[in-house]
Amino acid sequence: MKRRATLLSAFLLLTWSGYAQPSGRDSHNYGASSVDEDPGGGTWSESGYIGPEVKSPREVDTHSTGTPTWTNPTRFEKDTFTFVRVRRGHTASGPPGNWATDTPDSDLNLSYRLQQLTAIRVNPDGRFIRLTDPDLGDYPFIYMVEPGSLYLNEEEIAALGRYLNNGGFLMLDDFWGESEWRNAERVLKKVLPDRSFTELPLDHPVYHCVFEIKTKGQVPNIRLGQQSELDPAHRTWELNHDGDVRTVHHRAIFDDKGRIMVIATHNTDNGDGWEREGESDYYFNTFSAKISYPLGINIIFYAMTH
């Protein structure tokens, strides 16, 4: 693992500098509104307002150090993997957590790294999608951020259930503490009433399909990551959550054949690891290159090959 992680870190350091230079500013996730303005999924993000008509992270301004661009061979533009982020609207009790947290930088940076480090051709634009969109079934992988506040109406529950039972794959990321976990688990139980989450053992193939991953590492937000550089004993977990927030969990729901349908990375913020890679060499080397990128790439590779 150390050799592979070192190689990944060295490779990414050589390739990231073309578009992601450290900004020198104390940027982090706090301060952006997380209030959805309409049931169609328009929301305020770190980049400003993202209206319901916006279909892709490529249409959203970066709020970190810039996003990469690339092209695919002519006539093969559509024969690619697309990173799809689920758009959410109002909850039963009001605004949800922000479905747009970390976009566009996290979506596009991870997509770029996936194309660099595997043989998978990747859509350079990505996609935002509602669960009720008729195109949902065209995408084998979807991503939800901050599912601790997840709420789905009956139509969305039915649509997600059909998607997962027909071979789709869902990743849940960036939520902390017991209350947020219980809420996400409760909603997924409505989607897949006959199935439950199981903690993934480290001998599962998802940890060994591209990079060898031997620990469930914790990725903090950029602010905590920078503080841990100054003090190696500094916490990497987020406070203001109930229960144990220090222990990282990777839990999964399986189908009848043992294929992962849903993976939940709890008490960790992989999205910040993808998003903020250009803002701090220490953060990049310690969290992005060693934890969030290997895990994200392995998860997508597994989803595309199972």
Side-chain angles (χ1 to χ4, degrees):
M1 173 60 181
K2 288 184 178 179
R3 181 174 180 272
R4 283 192 150 185
T6 300
L7 289 173
L8 173 63
S9 180
F11 179 79
L12 293 183
L13 279 171
L14 288 173
T15 57
W16 75 314
S17 57
Y19 72 92
Q21 294 291 342
S23 66
R25 56 189 171 85
D26 182 21
S27 71
H28 48 73
N29 279 335
Y30 298 101
S33 170
S34 61
V35 178
D36 257 4
E37 294 295 331
D38 58 75
T43 189
W44 286 96
S45 76
E46 294 102 324
S47 297
Y49 183 68
I50 301 176
E53 75 284 354
V54 176
K55 304 298 183 184
S56 165
R58 188 62 67 186
E59 302 173 56
V60 180
D61 290 337
T62 177
H63 54 83
S64 184
T65 53
T67 53
T69 59
W70 67 97
T71 58
N72 287 301
T74 304
R75 294 184 295 178
F76 290 93
E77 293 90 347
K78 294 185 178 181
D79 188 20
T80 57
F81 167 81
T82 300
F83 185 93
V84 175
R85 176 183 290 258
V86 174
R87 179 193 293 270
R88 288 149 46 196
H90 281 148
T91 71
S93 58
N98 197 342
W99 63 262
T101 296
D102 301 332
T103 202
D105 304 79
S106 63
D107 310 43
L108 299 178
N109 286 346
L110 176 59
S111 295
Y112 184 60
R113 298 308 185 193
L114 180 66
Q115 176 143 310
Q116 280 186 312
L117 298 171
T118 72
I120 299 174
R121 291 287 182 181
V122 182
N123 181 342
D125 296 330
R127 178 75 191 274
F128 300 149
I129 200 167
R130 294 298 300 263
L131 292 173
T132 52
D133 192 300
D135 293 339
L136 180 68
D138 294 341
Y139 303 103
F141 172 96
I142 58 176
Y143 175 81
M144 285 188 188
V145 72
E146 296 191 14
S149 61
L150 181 61
Y151 167 82
L152 301 178
N153 62 35
E154 292 302 318
E155 188 179 7
E156 291 169 325
I157 288 170
L160 181 55
R162 288 192 299 271
Y163 171 81
L164 295 172
N165 282 307
N166 286 334
F169 187 104
L170 168 65
M171 179 178 178
L172 307 174
D173 185 40
D174 189 10
F175 60 127
W176 301 76
E178 293 306 312
S179 294
E180 291 193 2
W181 168 254
R182 285 196 299 269
N183 181 69
E185 183 180 40
R186 176 184 59 80
V187 175
L188 266 294
K189 195 66 174 177
K190 292 181 179 180
V191 174
L192 299 169
D194 298 327
R195 304 186 188 277
S196 300
F197 278 101
T198 302
E199 186 78 30
L200 273 176
L202 283 167
D203 61 357
H204 188 275
V206 75
Y207 297 111
H208 311 287
C209 54
V210 180
F211 299 102
E212 285 292 323
I213 297 174
K214 296 183 178 180
T215 60
K216 297 179 182 180
Q218 187 168 67
V219 181
N221 62 54
I222 183 68
R223 181 177 61 83
L224 291 177
Q226 289 173 327
Q227 289 174 350
S228 72
E229 178 180 12
L230 301 175
D231 176 10
H234 192 275
R235 63 183 172 86
T236 56
W237 53 89
E238 294 187 4
L239 299 179
N240 303 317
H241 299 279
D242 61 331
D244 177 19
V245 292
R246 300 189 184 197
T247 305
V248 176
H249 296 281
H250 297 167
R251 300 182 178 103
I253 297 175
F254 296 89
D255 69 9
D256 291 338
K257 296 182 179 180
R259 176 191 70 92
I260 296 176
M261 308 167 76
V262 182
I263 190 167
T265 55
H266 179 228
N267 289 339
T268 188
D269 186 356
N270 292 290
D272 241 33
W274 308 328
E275 174 198 17
R276 305 288 186 172
E277 65 159 65
E279 297 181 25
S280 160
D281 286 345
Y282 173 83
Y283 187 79
F284 174 80
N285 283 306
T286 306
F287 302 109
S288 300
K290 291 184 179 179
I291 303 175
S292 61
Y293 276 124
L295 182 62
I297 289 170
N298 274 24
I299 288 172
I300 292 173
F301 189 91
Y302 174 92
M304 296 296 290
T305 56
H306 291 74

